Amino acid sequence: MWLWFHKLGSPPHFYRTAGRLIPWFAIPAALLLVAGTLGGLVIAPADYEQGDGFRIIYVHVPSAYLAMFGYVAMAIAAAVGLIWRMKLAFAFAAACAPVGAAFTFLCLATGSLWGKPMWGVWWDWDGRMTSMLVLLFLYLGVIALRGAFDDAAKGDRAAALLAIVGVVNIPIIKFSVDWWNTLHQPATLSKLSAPSMTMDMLGWLLVMIVGHMLFFAAVVTLRLRGEVLLRERGARWIRGVDGRA
Amino acid sequence: MSGMLAAALALARRDLRAALRRWGELALPLCFFVIVLTLFPLGLAPERDTLAAVGPGVLWVAALLASLLALESLFRSDMDDGSMEQLVLSPQPLALMALVKALTHWLMSGLPLVLLTPLVAQAFYLPGNAIWVLALALFLATPTLSLIGAVAAALTASLRRGAGVLGILVLPLAVPLLVFGARATDLAIQGQSAAGPLYLLAALFALAVTLAPLAIAAALRISVD
Amino acid sequence: MLELRDIAVARSERVLFDGLSLGLGPGDLATVVGPNGAGKTSLLRVVAGLSRAHAGSLQWRGRPLEPGDPVYGRERLYLGHQPGLKADLSVSENLRFLLELQGAGFDPEALETCLAPLGLGGLAHRPVRALSAGQRRRVALARMRLCGSLLWLLDEPLTNLDVDGQALVARWLDEHLAGGGLAMVASHAPLGTRHPGRRLEVALGR
């Protein structure tokens, strides 16, 4: 086990393994996303209350899920990096942050598009949307802090510590925003919530969630390979890399 | 043990002394606070109802921004003159030293803000008892803010252009303080009991005072490296 | 007492040197020499415990060193490029704080007798802001005498010092080594010490 762990941790070995893994993530991701999109947009019945407007849920919910998953994964990698001084874990955290931030943004954007027909405005201070906005700020803080350091190793450690501080604070922030939201909830507006879904709606949502997760894995692995190349520039094994997987 | 306390007291004394010899710099965030509060009536309208409605929120946001301004200097001068190296190398637990620095910083930036607030709150027509609740809420929230802010200040202490990043790091983490603090003030204005959010603010302080020093110490070791 | 094993030092992920092993006992002086950028300061910072070694291990009194080790914290004195003094505080306030931080007692009389040979007699209550660069360096050097530390880690102690000051550093180093102390010094200029004990030269960047 430890030997395997150690071997995976060696950059050249990891680089090759990751290259072989990418198709195993990317191809099922593409199939599931195409199937889920067709299923969600065409096959699934329209919601009796929201009509076709609800269909954005097939992107919105998986994005929200990955936005949170991405931050937690980044914080766990950061902790592993700080505790066991594993460089690959820092590279993972660095690869994960922009992808997670992109999904957070996607979640906010789709939420806003969904909100327009429902609320009549592009933005409403809905509790979940506000929490997502703060999550986006936390992501941006981690990315900005890593970028501000000239010394990459130092930036990695600082950003890792911030990610851990952030993950401790997220439940508190979430609680406070929910609390704030229930106090100021205007009665007339309906909340962004999943409509009561029938099985044929829900099935396609599950397909989309798995598809998004595999897509996330493929993109992070791809970025991680890039990070490894960037961090190992100057190492001898790089000269054998010809740019193809 | 006594050496540890002596060192902690010595650090608090040194920071207070050095800061009081530059009292002009201490006054800057307070001036900023008052000026921001002056801008709101100018930007909105000097109507009493409007100002009383936005008052609590405006006071809290202004207090957050003013303490952000003060945070920048928390570790910067220690980094520049090399005393941070000596602090990290000392035999004393760095987390304790970090706690002392953060609380000393609060004494010089947070506490004056708390004392000033009952005065400036008059300009936003808050009712009498709400002003005391506001001051109490600030008294509970500003030490937490100093501790959270110290984590961010320690992370950015070795950066030349740390000020911009500092705001991005601190303000999202300050959301719960803003929510509970403004809520306590609101409740008091409506004549209800503000005990709930005040307890929550106290709980946040208890959490911050136990966890933040460890994070500050870890961040300082990274910054000094 | 101080043991370096296979130390490698890196700056910004670039390895400056590796495989450095060194043992220092009571009365030993290690001088670190080498051209600019060879890693003299980086090595001293690693030995002091400010930076982490890229590889290898450090031992003090037979125990591996962890960041924040209290025993090592008391017994090791590090003087870096910056003197670590607050410009707004006086000489004696600064030294008193640094001593109390180190866990050493503060004795005003010892301070006076230490400042006199440094040419700082009568300046104890002057704010550090009003001192020249050389005088600030001398204030930092006063800690060598006052802290009573066993291991001195000095990074370019002669910078900004005049001939008298340099001779004083050499004399204090000699006395420290003769009393069973250890020292590791990075310096471009010869230190001019006369102590007959063991002297090691760590030559970097060759």
Side-chain angles (χ1 to χ4, degrees), chain B residues 7 10-11 13-14 17-18 21-22 77-78 80-83 85-87 89-92 97 221 224-225, chain C residues 45 48 50-52 67-68 70 73-74 76 78 82 84-86 88-89 93 97-98 100-103 143:
Chain B
L11 178 62
R13 205 164 43 227
R14 181 200 70 156
R17 219 177 241 159
R21 289 193 188 159
R22 290 187 170 270
S77 76
D78 283 352
D80 289 345
D81 63 23
S83 35
E85 290 176 350
Q86 300 301 336
L87 209 59
L89 292 179
S90 85
Q92 319 302 341
M97 298 289 117
R221 284 192 200 283
V224 162
D225 188 343
Chain C
R45 288 176 62 89
L50 282 172
S51 311
R52 289 194 310 206
R74 257 188 300 278
R76 165 262 287 119
Y78 169 79
Q82 294 151 321
L85 305 170
K86 287 269 155 228
D88 291 312
L89 298 186
E93 284 167 341
F97 166 68
L98 287 167
E100 282 173 338
L101 187 65
Q102 188 96 13
R143 291 179 56 211

Side-chain angles (χ1 to χ4, degrees), chain B:
Chain B
M1 191 63 206
S2 66
M4 207 188 278
L5 279 178
L9 284 176
L11 178 62
R13 205 164 43 227
R14 181 200 70 156
D15 273 13
L16 284 173
R17 219 177 241 159
L20 290 176
R21 289 193 188 159
R22 290 187 170 270
W23 61 270
E25 284 177 21
L26 287 182
L28 282 180
L30 295 176
C31 294
F32 177 82
F33 179 61
V34 174
I35 291 172
V36 168
L37 289 177
T38 315
L39 292 180
F40 272 93
L42 292 173
L44 294 161
E47 287 159 21
R48 290 189 187 180
D49 290 348
T50 320
L51 289 179
V54 298
V58 165
L59 282 162
W60 273 92
V61 173
L64 280 186
L65 294 178
S67 16
L68 187 65
L69 199 66
L71 272 178
E72 171 67 7
S73 64
L74 177 50
F75 296 118
R76 182 52 53 86
S77 76
D78 283 352
M79 288 298 283
D80 289 345
D81 63 23
S83 35
M84 187 53 76
E85 290 176 350
Q86 300 301 336
L87 209 59
V88 169
L89 292 179
S90 85
Q92 319 302 341
L94 190 54
L96 176 68
M97 298 289 117
L99 179 65
V100 169
K101 272 203 79 84
L103 291 184
T104 316
H105 178 260
W106 173 77
L107 270 182
M108 294 178 297
S109 65
L111 191 58
L113 213 62
V114 176
L115 297 178
L116 194 61
T117 310
L119 281 178
V120 292
Q122 303 290 344
F124 284 84
Y125 311 108
L126 298 195
N129 71 320
I131 290 179
W132 295 114
V133 171
L134 172 69
L136 181 59
L138 276 170
F139 182 76
L140 288 170
T142 44
T144 315
L145 191 62
S146 283
L147 285 160
I148 296 176
V151 178
L155 282 169
T156 55
S158 65
L159 297 175
R160 285 293 121 211
R161 326 167 284 281
V165 187
L166 190 61
I168 299 181
L169 303 193
V170 176
L171 294 177
L173 298 177
V175 165
L177 295 175
L178 178 65
V179 168
F180 298 142
R183 179 64 190 160
T185 321
D186 256 348
L187 282 174
I189 290 174
Q190 293 162 17
Q192 297 173 25
S193 159
L198 288 178
Y199 283 138
L200 286 168
L201 285 177
L204 285 182
F205 173 69
L207 201 63
V209 87
T210 36
L211 293 182
L214 302 172
I216 303 169
L220 287 177
R221 284 192 200 283
I222 294 171
S223 281
V224 162
D225 188 343

